[in-house]
Amino acid sequence: MELLSVTMNDGVMPRSEIESKDNSSEDKSNYKVVLTGDMVYNSMRMWQGANGISPCDGIVSPAYTVLMPKVPISNGYFAAFFKSPNLINEFRRNSQGMTSDTWNLKYPQIETIKVCIPALSEQKRVSDMLGTLERRIAKQAQLVDNLKKYKRGVFETVFSQKVRLIPRNKRKDWQKYKLSDFATRVTRKNGGQSDIPLTISAQYGLIDQRDFFSKTVASADMSGYYLLRSGEYAYNRSTSNDYPFGSIKRLELYPMGAVSTLYLCFRVKDDIVLSDLAKWYFESSQWHRGVNEICAEGARNHGLLNVPTDGFFNTVHTLPSDPEEQLAIASYLSLFQARLDSAQAVLEKLLRIRSGLMQRLFT
């Protein structure tokens, strides 16, 4: 039978759709049989919503708990109900263990939880409504994902000169610039001018830590931090899946803010390279080669690239010298980003609608 797993976001899924390699035990004689419509949950992660209604027959690890309905139910209704905030809080309250790492919700505990449920006809109506919303969210999420992938392709195509955005008879050769040719390092200290501790986000760029993390991770005293003004850039040398060579972002959300001195900060000389062009250039991967060449061999300390300051400002970048082409590229990529931002905003609105609906339906 199909080997199934329980995921946090997508509920019960065939293991083959999650992992290409089967790492399960070869002896599956103790595995539990799951029938279509059964509820399966991870007892160690039930307080985080690790559960789902199985869409197919299959088997699951003995570590999972399988529930089957005693009376006719709407699978769609219960799939949403078991993810509702109020019920998740009940699961958390009834889980046993000293810390969140050991919390465990076994069947004798979940069996005692009392819930109120509507008639089957109403369950089906709720299920249909939520199903329609979920399908709309899934389509919007797919659109956002496709636009992000397309954006990467567009940016690489433009900055590798495979596509030129001005007429052939006006094209000029691109030039090689050191970063120091079109950027000046910023090292001014924050002497109390700003109380906004900045961090870099893939989606929002330089953003207040309190808005992004819902807390401050900066030092209480930020007088030793760099003061960044609107339009200036910061390079975070920390790596991630989306940013294998760190990320460079321009401050746009606030008039000024404070960043850790671990960041390399600079402002762009508009008379050489338009700042609007530089902003999009640093969203591409074309600048990665220069950083890769100056990184010490295997130099990663807890995900922080060992990029020397002098070396960074001496990296070489191939960019258009013609202001008309610079402006054409910046304008085109700005329009593309606006399309992506609009799609992302619609997705976030749909997610808020779902969250509010879940609160009202299952309170």
Side-chain angles (χ1 to χ4, degrees):
M1 299 180 73
E2 181 85 51
L3 182 61
L4 306 175
S5 285
V6 178
T7 65
M8 206 74 72
N9 297 320
D10 299 315
V12 181
M13 295 180 64
R15 178 74 66 86
S16 59
E17 295 182 12
I18 305 171
E19 301 173 3
S20 57
K21 187 178 179 181
D22 184 355
N23 295 315
S24 62
S25 170
E26 189 172 332
D27 178 13
K28 295 183 173 60
S29 58
N30 290 327
Y31 276 52
K32 298 176 180 177
V33 173
V34 178
L35 301 180
T36 302
D38 286 350
M39 168 64 71
V40 187
Y41 75 85
N42 181 342
S43 60
M44 296 290 290
R45 288 288 177 262
M46 189 59 154
W47 60 275
Q48 292 177 310
N51 63 68
I53 298 286
S54 181
C56 59
D57 294 350
I59 56 173
V60 293
S61 162
Y64 291 128
T65 300
V66 182
L67 307 177
M68 61 178 292
K70 292 182 177 179
V71 296
I73 64 168
S74 164
N75 290 341
Y77 178 87
F78 273 84
F81 185 39
F82 269 57
K83 297 279 190 181
S84 62
N86 286 345
L87 198 51
I88 292 295
N89 285 334
E90 282 295 311
F91 296 154
R92 184 184 292 112
R93 259 186 351 104
N94 285 273
S95 293
Q96 297 180 334
M98 297 296 293
T99 66
S100 59
D101 289 335
T102 61
W103 286 347
N104 197 329
L105 183 65
K106 296 187 178 296
Y107 181 72
Q109 281 71 51
I110 197 173
E111 184 187 27
T112 64
I113 297 175
K114 295 183 181 297
V115 295
C116 295
I117 57 174
L120 181 58
S121 59
E122 186 174 349
Q123 291 179 34
K124 290 178 178 178
R125 288 196 297 272
V126 171
S127 175
D128 290 343
M129 178 178 62
L130 291 176
T132 300
L133 181 57
E134 287 296 340
R135 288 190 292 273
R136 177 66 184 88
I137 289 173
K139 286 186 177 181
Q140 190 67 26
Q142 185 63 57
L143 173 62
V144 169
D145 188 54
N146 289 342
L147 285 172
K148 286 180 178 178
K149 291 176 182 176
Y150 188 53
K151 172 188 169 181
R152 288 194 292 269
V154 168
F155 277 48
E156 298 311 315
T157 298
V158 168
F159 287 111
S160 63
Q161 303 180 63
K162 292 178 181 177
V163 167
R164 302 287 292 272
L165 298 177
I166 60 172
R168 186 179 299 274
N169 62 340
K170 291 187 176 182
R171 293 176 187 173
K172 297 179 181 178
D173 290 340
W174 287 25
Q175 292 186 12
K176 292 184 182 295
Y177 299 93
K178 287 184 178 180
L179 181 60
S180 58
D181 291 336
F182 66 90
T184 304
R185 190 181 179 198
V186 171
T187 57
R188 77 174 74 87
K189 290 299 178 69
N190 176 40
Q193 296 98 320
S194 176
D195 63 350
I196 299 177
L198 297 173
T199 190
I200 284 184
S201 151
Q203 182 178 345
Y204 302 106
L206 284 157
I207 187 171
D208 190 328
Q209 292 179 4
R210 293 164 294 191
D211 293 332
F212 189 69
F213 297 117
S214 298
K215 63 179 180 179
T216 299
V217 296
S219 302
D221 179 10
M222 296 191 297
S223 60
Y225 279 40
Y226 291 142
L227 177 68
L228 207 63
R229 299 190 187 280
S230 178
E232 295 176 341
Y233 292 78
Y235 173 36
N236 181 357
R237 289 170 281 187
S238 296
T239 64
S240 66
N241 290 335
D242 291 333
Y243 296 99
F245 289 92
S247 54
I248 299 174
K249 299 288 185 179
R250 185 171 72 176
L251 180 59
E252 297 182 330
L253 297 177
Y254 320 98
M256 62 182 70
V259 297
S260 165
T261 51
L262 292 174
Y263 287 28
L264 296 178
C265 303
F266 59 91
R267 59 177 171 269
V268 168
K269 303 172 185 176
D270 256 313
D271 57 332
I272 301 175
V273 173
L274 290 178
S275 183
D276 285 346
L277 174 73
K279 170 188 173 180
W280 300 126
Y281 171 69
F282 291 122
E283 285 293 306
S284 76
S285 65
Q286 293 299 308
W287 61 277
H288 292 176
R289 181 181 299 176
V291 171
N292 187 44
E293 290 172 353
I294 62 173
C295 281
E297 181 100 17
R300 283 181 169 82
N301 182 16
H302 301 294
L304 188 67
L305 290 172
N306 186 2
V307 177
T309 301
D310 291 344
F312 176 66
F313 283 94
N314 282 319
T315 54
V316 177
H317 309 270
T318 303
L319 293 165
S321 59
D322 178 17
E324 184 179 348
E325 186 169 9
Q326 291 184 21
L327 182 59
I329 292 173
S331 300
Y332 173 71
L333 297 182
S334 294
L335 288 172
F336 189 91
Q337 183 64 46
R339 175 70 183 92
L340 174 56
D341 290 344
S342 175
Q344 183 71 46
V346 171
L347 176 60
E348 291 173 0
K349 184 175 182 179
L350 288 168
L351 292 174
R352 289 195 298 271
I353 289 172
R354 181 179 67 181
S355 178
L357 198 56
M358 293 281 284
Q359 286 281 3
R360 298 185 68 176
L361 283 171
F362 299 116
T363 296

